[in-house]
Amino acid sequence: MRALALALLALVAIPSAAQDVLPGQLPSDDGPQRLSGPRFGVTYLSPGVVDRINDTLTDPGEEDVIDLPLTTQVGWQFEFQTFQSQSGVLTGVAEIVPLIGGLERGRIFPTVTFLAGVRTRKGFEVGLGPNISLTGASGVNEFNETSGVAAGLALAVGQGLDVDGVSIPFNGALVLSESGVRASLLVGLTTSRGRY
């Protein structure tokens, strides 16, 4: 319970650390919209990933932690501009996306993805980068000796929609790792008017 409270506190505090426009900088009207903000969604876990999690969190003879290969996700996307074409049609974006899964099971499965990609003025984006996940337990100190960090390669594709001044980014991601594949669908919200 203490871990869940800390995770929720972190998610509430994160928005204050995310700035859309630097002090003294005016947002551009030419580039794509900034889409930093909360993310919510669901992840499908391939059988190899499910086996890795269950092997890590259960002792022989115990009931598996994961029986249904789906988990919810909640987190935040931070993003930074890396370049912009002269016309403003194409903008490079670096993204950091920390997510917490497994809360519906009373577990914490934290992941963080680092993406380098491009976004068009119309809101279509694609990115590639490393993903790091940690198999969690119901409490912060309840990891056994087989727990650890798993790394994978993430490929993400998305489209941002503008609905009456609210940006709603939709993203799909595949993470390829030694133990299997994870496929995520995420949706976010931002009322930022900032553009790159």
Side-chain angles (χ1 to χ4, degrees):
M1 187 64 177
R2 180 175 46 172
L4 177 59
L6 288 173
L8 292 175
L9 180 62
L11 287 175
V12 171
I14 286 172
S16 65
Q19 293 186 348
D20 280 337
V21 180
L22 296 174
Q25 177 187 10
L26 295 175
S28 168
D29 292 331
D30 295 332
Q33 194 159 7
R34 297 172 186 263
L35 297 177
S36 292
R39 295 294 184 269
F40 311 93
V42 64
T43 296
Y44 165 77
L45 309 169
S46 70
V49 174
V50 170
D51 290 344
R52 180 181 64 84
I53 293 171
N54 286 333
D55 290 348
T56 301
L57 295 179
T58 59
D59 293 323
E62 274 190 311
E63 186 176 325
D64 287 342
V65 171
I66 296 183
D67 49 2
L68 182 66
L70 293 173
T71 186
T72 57
Q73 298 280 7
V74 61
W76 198 271
Q77 177 173 306
F78 300 92
E79 60 181 51
F80 313 92
Q81 178 184 5
T82 57
F83 71 86
Q84 187 168 45
S85 65
Q86 287 184 345
S87 64
V89 171
L90 199 61
T91 298
V93 181
E95 300 174 356
I96 302 170
V97 187
L99 296 169
I100 296 174
L103 295 176
E104 74 281 1
R105 294 179 170 88
R107 302 285 178 153
I108 296 176
F109 302 136
T111 65
V112 63
T113 304
F114 303 92
L115 295 167
V118 293
R119 182 177 299 147
T120 68
R121 184 182 292 158
K122 300 283 187 185
F124 176 77
E125 63 182 339
V126 62
L128 182 72
N131 171 275
I132 300 169
S133 63
L134 180 65
T135 301
S138 57
V140 175
N141 297 317
E142 294 181 19
F143 297 102
N144 66 30
E145 65 279 354
T146 61
S147 296
V149 176
L153 180 66
L155 171 64
V157 176
Q159 177 66 50
L161 301 177
D162 188 25
V163 179
D164 197 26
V166 176
S167 293
I168 304 173
F170 292 91
N171 295 96
L174 282 178
V175 176
L176 310 172
S177 66
E178 184 179 10
S179 55
V181 176
R182 286 176 281 143
S184 298
L185 292 174
L186 300 171
V187 64
L189 293 170
T190 180
T191 57
S192 169
R193 291 290 187 178
R195 291 186 175 272
Y196 289 113

